[in-house]
């Protein structure tokens, strides 16, 4: 079990239960951490105050170590929203990477649904498993050390999501795996990949739409309201298409 610890400057860290915690402003005793359970204030031995609370899924995703580039929440939220993924959905994705997207998907399909996630690199799968375990989502995920270009085992799938270098090599497998009306989603950093994916789609896919999600946050106060100076620039192009033919 992990807790989220936030200092006065807003710096965050995830801490394990069951041991004293050494921070840059002194030690917090395990007994004090236990006392506040999931939320409240704790003090170090030097009297510095910290806020402690149960981490949200986004806290986990922001703090986890990232060996591979993850799908940002602005993009995963759009994928979940536009394909109608919810409790009970059956979803296939590749590659797992370090499970940035898998965690968002697993959270959306629980408790009835399942995520089947394909990955070819063992070290990525290992890292992803750790993240899923720590966030309590592993039971909603089946992890496969398999190359998705060799085929998809699942049938009657609601959504297939591809985040890997040659998504077009998995489109024919997606036709066989998807239910009629199911969605195929491609997350591709470059427009060259997106064009090749779209122009080589099997004829069963229709209503194809490519988009980019641009998120700009604002600073809002009594004195002034203006967009923040820094923003996440480009992440990827999202392409949605639907199996509408046999
Ligand atoms: C950019 S990462 C995926 C990141 C992931 N969506 C996330 O949010 O954490 C791409 C992953 O695809 C894996 N991969 C590449 N080709 C693959 C294939 N043919 N089948 C399965 N996984 C593959 C890579 O090893 C890598 O871990």
């Amino acid at each position: 079990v992990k807790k989220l610890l936030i200092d006065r400057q807003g710096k965050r860290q995830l801490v394990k239960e069951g041991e004293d915690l050494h921070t840059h402003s002194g030690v917090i005793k395990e007994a004090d951490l236990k006392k506040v359970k999931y939320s409240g204030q704790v003090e170090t031995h030097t009297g510095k105050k910290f806020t402690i609370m149960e981490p949200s899924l986004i806290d986990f995703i922001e703090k986890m170590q990232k060996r591979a580039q993850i799908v940002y929440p602005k993009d995963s939220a759009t994928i979940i929203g536009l394909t109608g993924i919810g409790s009970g959905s059956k979803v296939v994705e590749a590659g797992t990477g370090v499970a940035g997207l898998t965690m968002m998907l697993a959270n959306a399909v629980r408790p009835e649904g399942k995520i089947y996630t394909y990955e070819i690199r063992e070290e990525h799968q290992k890292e992803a498993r750790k993240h899923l375990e720590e966030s309590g989502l592993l039971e909603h995920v089946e992890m496969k050390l398999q190359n998705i270009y060799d085929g998809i085992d699942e049938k009657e799938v609601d959504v297939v999501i591809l985040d890997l270098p040659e998504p077009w090599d998995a489109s024919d497998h997606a036709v066989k795996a998807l239910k009629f009306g199911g969605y195929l989603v491609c997350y591709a950093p470059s427009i060259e990949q997106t064009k090749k994916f779209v122009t080589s789609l099997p004829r069963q896919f229709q209503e194809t739409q490519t988009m980019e999600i641009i998120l700009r946050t604002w600073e809002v106060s009594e004195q002034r309201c203006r967009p923040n100076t820094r923003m996440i620039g480009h992440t990827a192009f999202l392409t949605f298409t639907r199996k509408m033919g046999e």
Side-chain angles (χ1 to χ4, degrees):
V1 182
K2 289 205 169 180
K3 291 178 177 181
L4 180 72
L5 200 72
I6 310 172
D7 72 10
R8 278 278 165 87
Q9 286 71 44
K11 210 168 149 249
R12 291 150 181 262
Q13 70 184 102
L14 284 175
V15 298
K16 269 203 190 123
E17 265 189 342
E19 48 196 65
D20 287 352
L21 181 71
H22 297 263
T23 75
H24 53 276
S25 334
V27 181
I28 303 173
K29 288 272 172 219
E30 194 232 324
D32 292 337
L33 279 173
K34 248 193 185 143
K35 259 188 250 157
V36 290
K37 284 249 176 206
Y38 264 123
S39 52
Q41 301 268 326
V42 273
E43 271 184 30
T44 65
H45 75 288
T46 61
K48 291 271 172 356
K49 281 199 171 67
F50 282 79
T51 302
I52 193 158
M53 64 175 79
E54 190 173 0
S56 71
L57 181 57
I58 296 295
D59 293 324
F60 265 110
I61 293 174
E62 277 176 0
K63 292 312 292 181
M64 71 193 198
Q65 280 180 346
K66 300 167 183 105
R67 274 169 193 258
Q69 183 60 55
I70 69 158
V71 172
Y72 276 72
K74 73 175 173 74
D75 294 318
S76 41
T78 303
I79 294 171
I80 291 167
L82 292 187
T83 56
I85 290 173
S87 178
S89 297
K90 187 173 178 183
V91 180
V92 167
E93 66 144 355
T96 314
V98 293
L101 178 61
T102 324
M103 287 163 77
M104 292 285 281
L105 295 172
N107 188 50
V109 304
R110 70 177 170 175
E112 305 289 332
K114 194 102 191 170
I115 311 301
Y116 301 85
T117 183
Y118 289 66
E119 175 57 56
I120 45 171
R121 289 179 64 176
E122 214 170 338
E123 72 273 23
H124 284 183
Q125 195 192 54
K126 213 171 140 203
E127 188 85 29
R129 188 183 300 278
K130 190 174 134 238
H131 293 148
L132 288 161
E133 258 168 8
E134 284 174 356
S135 55
L137 291 164
L138 187 59
E139 64 178 295
H140 311 291
V141 180
E142 187 172 323
M143 308 191 79
K144 309 184 114 178
L145 200 59
Q146 267 173 248
N147 187 333
I148 200 163
Y149 303 152
D150 292 339
I152 298 175
D153 303 327
E154 294 69 33
K155 297 278 177 268
E156 287 298 298
V157 170
D158 296 301
V159 184
V160 173
I161 306 164
L162 304 171
D163 174 15
L164 33 65
E166 300 96 14
W168 46 87
D169 282 341
S171 306
D172 282 327
H173 301 312
V175 176
K176 293 186 196 121
L178 281 166
K179 69 176 191 188
F180 195 89
Y183 289 91
L184 173 61
V185 182
C186 169
Y187 176 96
S190 81
I191 201 65
E192 288 79 5
Q193 284 167 303
T194 302
K195 184 177 174 187
K196 186 159 178 187
F197 173 77
V198 171
T199 55
S200 65
L201 273 172
R203 59 177 168 74
Q204 290 90 341
F205 288 110
Q206 289 169 36
E207 297 193 344
T208 305
Q209 201 183 25
T210 294
M211 65 185 73
E212 198 182 352
I213 309 301
I214 296 167
L215 177 76
R216 192 166 71 156
T217 58
W218 282 56
E219 179 190 323
V220 178
S221 69
E222 284 294 348
Q223 292 76 30
R224 60 178 195 169
C225 297
R226 47 157 283 176
N228 282 121
T229 311
R230 287 173 195 222
M231 64 187 279
I232 298 168
H234 177 66
T235 55
F237 298 99
L238 296 178
T239 299
F240 295 81
T241 189
R242 215 156 175 201
K243 180 177 160 183
M244 296 177 78
E246 290 298 346

